Every structure is written in C-alpha cells, then in structure tokens.
Amino acid sequence: MSAITPAGHSEPEQRERILNTVDRVCELCFGLFMALTFVGAVKAATAGEDAGHKLFLTAFGCNLAWGLADAVMYLVRTFADRGQRLKLALTVKQEQDRAVGVRALRDALPAKLRQLVEDTDLERIRARLATLSTLPPRANLVRGDFVGALGIFLLVVLGTFPVALPFLIINDLTAALIASRLLTLAILFTAGFALGRYTGAGAMKAGFAMTALGVLLTVAIIALGG
C-alpha cells in the first residue's frame, strides 16, 4: 500500500520499525513468563538422573516452540491489519457518495479520536484516496514482514535462553532452579525499566513493578507444586 503526500501523489510506504519498545518488552516478558511457568511445571516430572539436562532441553524446546508460534502470529496479524487498511482504502476510493466515504473513514478511527477529527479533515483524506491511480488488489506479505517474524523468534528464544542455561551448567537441580528464577527476575526488571523509561512512567518504578509481578508468579507456581 502507498502513502499519500500533501500534493496527492502516492509514494512507497515508509515501513516503521518492526517492533517498538513496548512490543519488544511484551514479547520478551511473554517468553519469560512462559518459561518460568513451564520450568516449574516440569521440575517434578524430570527429577532423577540427568535432570538438569532434561530441564534445559525441555525449557529451551518450549522457548523455540513459543518463538515460532509468536512469529507466525505476527505474520497473521500483519496480514490481517494490512488487508483491513487496504479494504478501507478501496472502499473509500470506489465510493461515489462523499458523505459515505467520510463516514467509513470516521468509523475506522479509534473511538477516542473520532471527536478530535473534523469531517473536513476526513474529506481531504477521502479526496486524496479518490485520486490514487492504483491500489494493490489484495494484501500481501513482503520481505520485511518475514524479517520481523524472524526478529520476534530470535527475541523470544535468545531473550529467554538465560532462564534455561543454569540447568545445563549447574549440577544441583535446586540451585539451578533458584538461579533460573533469579535470572528471570533480573531480566524482568530490565524489561520493566526499559518500558518505564519509554512510556515516561518511571524506569525504576516500572522495573520493580515488573519484578514484583514475576515474584508473585513464582510464588503461585511454587504454591501449585512447581
């Protein structure tokens, strides 16, 4: 799909960053919580000889599966969102009634923005869409989308790899489990810190809040037998 310049001409869409700070932090935290709960759940089942290596392979395999699933869902969301935008653009372009075209654009706005945008603003957008010579007939995934999916896969797998690593290098299963959980909390603090600085909510406050969430989850896992 193309972007519209003030002169009414179309230019190739300038792709935004594949993942912003919020997306990266959320993906990482999802992976960490998943690994934390999974390690707690399988600890008892893998007890015995070579339990550490079994836990490492199990946790790492789970991270691979989660990363793959998340990458695929990223492609699905991207395709669906792009298709929705293209459908709106085609609808507005082909609509002969200006009022109907403006109404379609307004309905596509988030509810909180509808009161801030005047019909005259939407009419200018409708007019620009109407003058576009061509629009793609259907939404497609492009190379950058697959690069983004790969980035998500690597973020989830590599970001949560330290959680599984203690089971490979520490022989004592209990000590490895404690080290794994401490590493998880440290990464969660870092993620919360980054999120708080990005949103202006306070880096340290957000870091400790994310860590507290991890502690509560760990306590729940232990209480449930993990």
Side-chain angles (χ1 to χ4, degrees), residues 1 13 15 18 74-75 78-79 82 85 136 138-149:
M1 201 169 166
E13 181 179 1
R15 184 176 181 84
I18 293 172
Y74 167 79
L75 292 176
T78 298
F79 182 79
R82 187 169 297 149
R85 293 195 301 268
R138 64 182 62 86
N140 294 299
L141 293 173
V142 298
R143 180 181 177 183
D145 300 325
F146 293 99
V147 173

Side-chain angles (χ1 to χ4, degrees), residues 3-226:
I4 309 300
T5 66
H9 303 295
S10 62
E11 294 182 349
E13 181 179 1
Q14 297 295 318
R15 184 176 181 84
E16 298 179 356
R17 294 178 64 183
I18 293 172
L19 291 175
N20 59 34
T21 300
V22 176
D23 292 329
R24 291 196 298 269
V25 170
C26 288
E27 294 291 347
L28 179 60
C29 289
F30 289 154
L32 286 170
F33 288 138
M34 176 276 304
L36 184 62
T37 54
F38 195 80
V39 166
V42 302
K43 180 178 68 113
T46 57
E49 186 178 356
D50 204 23
H53 285 78
K54 291 179 182 178
L55 263 174
F56 169 79
L57 294 175
T58 303
F60 186 62
C62 186
N63 291 344
L64 289 173
W66 179 271
L68 179 61
D70 226 11
V72 171
M73 290 310 301
Y74 167 79
L75 292 176
V76 172
R77 292 193 302 270
T78 298
F79 182 79
D81 290 344
R82 187 169 297 149
Q84 185 181 38
R85 293 195 301 268
L86 178 59
K87 179 181 178 181
L88 174 63
L90 288 170
T91 298
V92 174
K93 176 178 172 57
Q94 297 168 1
E95 179 57 57
Q96 299 300 317
D97 189 328
R98 295 184 178 182
V100 174
V102 168
R103 190 179 309 118
L105 289 171
R106 180 170 296 282
D107 290 342
L109 292 173
K112 293 183 178 180
L113 290 181
R114 292 175 189 170
Q115 298 178 352
L116 303 178
V117 181
E118 300 291 339
D119 283 351
T120 52
D121 300 321
L122 296 176
E123 168 57 25
R124 285 193 289 269
I125 297 174
R126 187 210 63 80
R128 291 171 183 173
L129 285 172
T131 59
L132 284 179
S133 57
T134 58
L135 282 172
R138 64 182 62 86
N140 294 299
L141 293 173
V142 298
R143 180 181 177 183
D145 300 325
F146 293 99
V147 173
L150 177 61
I152 289 176
F153 175 79
L154 294 176
L155 176 64
V156 173
V157 174
L158 298 181
T160 57
F161 179 76
V163 178
L165 190 59
F167 299 104
L168 187 64
I169 61 178
I170 300 177
N171 293 327
D172 183 81
L173 183 59
T174 300
L177 186 62
I178 294 174
S180 175
R181 287 169 173 167
L182 289 176
L183 282 171
T184 301
L185 297 179
I187 298 173
L188 284 173
F189 176 84
T190 303
F193 186 93
L195 186 61
R197 185 170 60 179
Y198 177 79
T199 60
M204 294 297 293
K205 183 188 298 184
F208 284 118
M210 192 71 76
T211 304
L213 182 61
V215 170
L216 290 175
L217 183 58
T218 301
V219 170
I221 293 169
I222 295 174
L224 293 172

